[in-house]
Amino acid sequence: MSPRISGLRLPWQAGEMGMTAARASEWRSGRIMKIEEEFVVQVDTLGVVGAGTMGHGVAQVAGQAGYEVRLVDSASEALAVGVGRIEKSLGKLVDKGKLTDEDRQATLARIKTSTDLADLTAAGLVVEAVVEKLEVKRQVLSELDRVCPPETILATNTSSISITRLAAATSRPGKVIGMHFMNPVPLMRLVEIIRGPATEPEAFARVEELTRQLGKTPVEVHDSPGFVSNRVLLPMINEAIFCLYEGVATAPAIDEVMKLGMNHPMGPLALADLIGLDVCLDILRVLYDGFVDSKYRPCPLLVKMVDAGYLGRKAGRGFYTYGEGDRLAYHPADGYR
């Protein structure tokens, strides 16, 4: 067994063949997971690759759940920003009385950062959360496959890309699986767990149970472009953008219709800004290429805004402006007003 995983050939009841009461308690709580008959495996360390919006969110919830976390990004600046956002998020929870300051400090102490993927050899599971580009993700997974021990599960946070194509970049397709967290990770309970055709049942069981330990609700989905969430959501967002593009209504009007008429907590254009317009475009292109169906064709306005760098909240402007001053809405004919 590798140093990061303690494996015990023990029955499941305390007192039999030396299993302590404490170990049995851990088993019942779910921190020790049954993988094969007569085996339990304890995952103490979780790796995350990518310190952006999704990556630092996953690192935060794992740290809060008591896991040691190794957060890796090729850019030290991105790590500094990611950790800063974790600190800010935890601070808000303390201010709201949902977290003690002691727990905040303990969570931060569990999260270690690095720019070297080799520092993930101690992780029982690694979550890849880099940019939503097939070749970039394949490159990262291939390198993780090289540096991580063979029993390490490689999970990808892709929101649309084929798990099958990503797994093919590794020598362990049975241990590659999708863990699609929702944004913002600390607040959203859903995680789509995506099986590829080669994903082993044991790997799925481990990831499903770990998801629950993170305080999330796992939902099983099979491998298909966009899975369920984005196959349904992104066409709606794209159609809202078309409504703006064609002059059917303004951005605030479109969002108000969907909030008041459909009981959505956030309008589709504001949601697109939260997701990131570049991410929306990437997902729509995956859907369009995967299904070869014109109903997934990205709206030209979306393409134009991404080309202009109007990426949503993270860029300070998208369909709305963000920052100090009045919030302005984008109008295709004459810009923000």
Side-chain angles (χ1 to χ4, degrees), residues 236-284:
M236 182 192 72
I237 288 176
N238 197 44
E239 201 61 34
I241 300 171
F242 267 111
C243 286
L244 179 62
Y245 178 61
E246 295 169 1
V248 176
T250 65
I254 293 166
D255 280 349
E256 196 74 356
V257 166
M258 297 306 291
K259 287 190 294 182
L260 299 182
M262 313 305 163
N263 203 29
H264 290 190
M266 178 181 291
L269 299 178
L271 179 56
D273 277 355
L274 176 63
I275 295 169
L277 302 194
D278 53 335
V279 176
C280 291
L281 180 58
D282 287 340
I283 295 170
L284 283 165

Side-chain angles (χ1 to χ4, degrees), residues 5-40:
I5 295 179
S6 57
L8 305 171
R9 188 179 293 274
L10 294 169
W12 316 124
Q13 298 299 319
E16 296 183 28
M17 295 180 64
M19 177 177 264
T20 65
R23 178 69 68 173
S25 176
E26 285 189 278
W27 165 254
R28 287 192 296 271
S29 72
R31 280 300 303 277
I32 301 178
M33 291 165 273
K34 182 176 180 181
I35 306 304
E36 301 172 343
E37 188 175 358
E38 296 186 336
F39 277 95
V40 290

Side-chain angles (χ1 to χ4, degrees), residues 322-337:
Y322 300 89
E324 296 181 3
D326 295 335
R327 187 178 185 185
L328 305 178
Y330 183 78
H331 297 260
D334 52 6
Y336 293 96
R337 56 180 172 85

Side-chain angles (χ1 to χ4, degrees), residues 23-285:
R23 178 69 68 173
S25 176
E26 285 189 278
W27 165 254
R28 287 192 296 271
S29 72
R31 280 300 303 277
I32 301 178
M33 291 165 273
K34 182 176 180 181
I35 306 304
E36 301 172 343
E37 188 175 358
E38 296 186 336
F39 277 95
V40 290
V41 177
Q42 184 170 0
V43 178
D44 294 311
T45 303
L46 189 144
V48 182
V49 182
T53 300
M54 302 306 293
H56 76 252
V58 174
Q60 176 182 326
V61 298
Q64 284 183 257
Y67 290 91
E68 295 296 319
V69 179
R70 300 292 178 268
L71 177 60
V72 176
D73 197 292
S74 60
S76 56
E77 298 85 359
L79 288 168
V81 171
V83 171
R85 289 176 176 168
I86 292 172
E87 292 174 342
K88 183 177 180 180
S89 176
L90 293 173
K92 288 181 178 179
L93 293 176
V94 172
D95 292 342
K96 294 177 181 178
K98 296 182 178 181
L99 189 73
T100 67
D101 189 63
E102 181 181 3
D103 287 339
R104 179 188 67 82
Q105 294 181 44
T107 296
L108 291 171
R110 294 185 192 105
I111 301 172
K112 306 294 190 301
T113 63
S114 172
T115 57
D116 189 351
L117 288 178
D119 289 333
L120 294 173
T121 55
L125 182 143
V126 178
V127 179
E128 169 277 306
V130 300
V131 64
E132 190 74 356
K133 303 285 186 183
L134 173 64
E135 290 309 316
V136 176
K137 288 183 178 291
R138 282 174 57 91
Q139 182 179 355
V140 170
L141 288 167
S142 177
E143 184 64 14
L144 287 171
D145 184 48
R146 186 184 69 81
V147 302
C148 294
E151 61 267 37
T152 301
I153 293 176
L154 304 180
T156 171
N157 184 54
T158 180
S159 55
S160 61
I161 297 172
S162 165
I163 304 303
T164 306
R165 298 181 70 183
L166 294 175
T170 76
S171 63
R172 63 181 86 190
K175 289 183 170 57
V176 177
I177 192 168
M179 285 185 79
H180 180 204
F181 290 84
M182 303 293 128
N183 183 27
V185 178
L187 301 181
M188 303 297 284
R189 293 185 60 190
L190 173 67
V191 178
E192 283 183 305
I193 308 296
I194 303 103
R195 293 179 184 264
T199 302
E200 297 168 356
E202 294 83 0
F204 179 87
R206 286 179 66 185
V207 169
E208 184 179 46
E209 186 57 35
L210 184 140
T211 300
R212 292 192 178 96
Q213 290 302 310
L214 298 182
K216 306 300 181 185
T217 301
V219 176
E220 179 182 356
V221 178
H222 290 280
D223 195 13
S224 181
F227 316 128
V228 171
S229 58
N230 283 326
R231 184 172 175 177
V232 174
L233 175 64
L234 264 296
M236 182 192 72
I237 288 176
N238 197 44
E239 201 61 34
I241 300 171
F242 267 111
C243 286
L244 179 62
Y245 178 61
E246 295 169 1
V248 176
T250 65
I254 293 166
D255 280 349
E256 196 74 356
V257 166
M258 297 306 291
K259 287 190 294 182
L260 299 182
M262 313 305 163
N263 203 29
H264 290 190
M266 178 181 291
L269 299 178
L271 179 56
D273 277 355
L274 176 63
I275 295 169
L277 302 194
D278 53 335
V279 176
C280 291
L281 180 58
D282 287 340
I283 295 170
L284 283 165
R285 284 173 169 163

Side-chain angles (χ1 to χ4, degrees), residues 297-315:
R297 177 178 68 92
C299 178
L301 177 59
L302 176 60
V303 177
K304 178 180 178 180
M305 295 186 74
V306 171
D307 287 345
Y310 299 169
L311 306 182
R313 289 193 182 190
K314 61 187 174 185

